[in-house]
Amino acid sequence: MMWARVVACLGMACMALLGLSACSTVASQLDTLTHAEPDSTRQRAMRRLSLASAYYEQGQNDVAQQEVRAALQIDPQFADAYSLLGLIHQRANAPGLAQQSFEQALQLASTPPARSAELAAIQHNYAWFLCQQNRFVEAQVQFDRAVSQPGYGQVDKTSKAIRFCQARAAVKVDGLNSNN
């Protein structure tokens, strides 16, 4: 009888310990689920780029450029950041710097694993820059590349830009013909 009580007590003690262990495991799992996972490098850079984009949209180029540069310090391989930097330089009438930024963006976006939607957006931005520089043939090549990317969701926007660029080219050609 005494042995039966001892075995019963040990059994209850083991169950209590196992229960506490299970509770401890559940508590640790809850801690893992409820605590934010540390940000990845790209996520931190994306937050800075999002700020840069908002400043750019508001015409605050200097602050936008600072935020893009901060994003690039976090992630120097961030193609979208170079693309926005190209747009900022374009707006600041610095075509040489814009060209360099777009070329860097295209190079990074084309490196495997390439994401076609990201590449298409950069090609669109670069084409827009080329159109503004009256480099219509090069612009059309980039626009065509953007539209041909699988999964590109901004085809309507690019089609409008193509029509605008073609109209601009026609005006340029007419202007040249009128002067002759």
Side-chain angles (χ1 to χ4, degrees):
M1 203 47 106
M2 180 72 147
W3 284 105
R5 283 188 189 163
V6 170
V7 169
C9 284
L10 284 174
M12 286 196 288
C14 285
M15 289 177 73
L17 286 174
L18 287 174
L20 289 176
S21 172
C23 287
S24 169
T25 302
V26 169
S28 108
Q29 288 173 346
L30 284 175
D31 281 348
T32 302
L33 294 174
T34 58
H35 284 19
E37 189 176 301
D39 288 342
S40 73
T41 301
R42 180 56 56 97
Q43 288 172 329
R44 289 184 297 135
M46 285 173 68
R47 279 199 295 274
R48 297 308 286 262
L49 188 62
S50 180
L51 284 171
S53 182
Y55 285 121
Y56 175 78
E57 292 297 323
Q58 294 176 0
Q60 297 179 3
N61 287 351
D62 292 339
V63 182
Q65 186 172 356
Q66 289 171 2
E67 290 297 332
V68 168
R69 297 218 182 269
L72 288 170
Q73 283 182 339
I74 294 167
D75 185 353
Q77 304 301 310
F78 196 6
D80 287 340
Y82 282 103
S83 183
L84 181 55
L85 188 58
L87 293 173
I88 292 167
H89 288 313
Q90 175 184 353
R91 187 184 279 173
N93 200 22
L97 294 173
Q99 177 81 31
Q100 288 174 4
S101 297
F102 286 123
E103 287 174 356
Q104 182 68 27
L106 285 172
Q107 179 184 355
L108 291 171
S110 299
T111 303
R115 293 189 309 269
S116 60
E118 176 185 31
L119 179 58
I122 293 167
Q123 289 166 329
H124 170 93
N125 288 345
Y126 185 43
W128 183 249
F129 162 75
L130 292 169
C131 179
Q132 298 299 309
Q133 297 298 307
N134 299 324
R135 295 163 57 186
F136 303 115
V137 173
E138 294 170 86
Q140 188 62 49
V141 167
Q142 291 299 320
F143 281 135
D144 290 343
R145 287 179 181 166
V147 170
S148 71
Q149 292 293 336
Y152 179 48
Q154 301 290 321
V155 173
D156 289 343
K157 174 182 162 183
T158 300
S159 295
K160 288 177 187 174
I162 290 170
R163 288 191 297 275
F164 175 86
C165 193
Q166 288 171 341
R168 182 179 171 125
V171 168
K172 264 302 200 200
V173 169
D174 287 344
L176 290 175
N177 290 339
S178 300
N179 290 334
N180 290 334

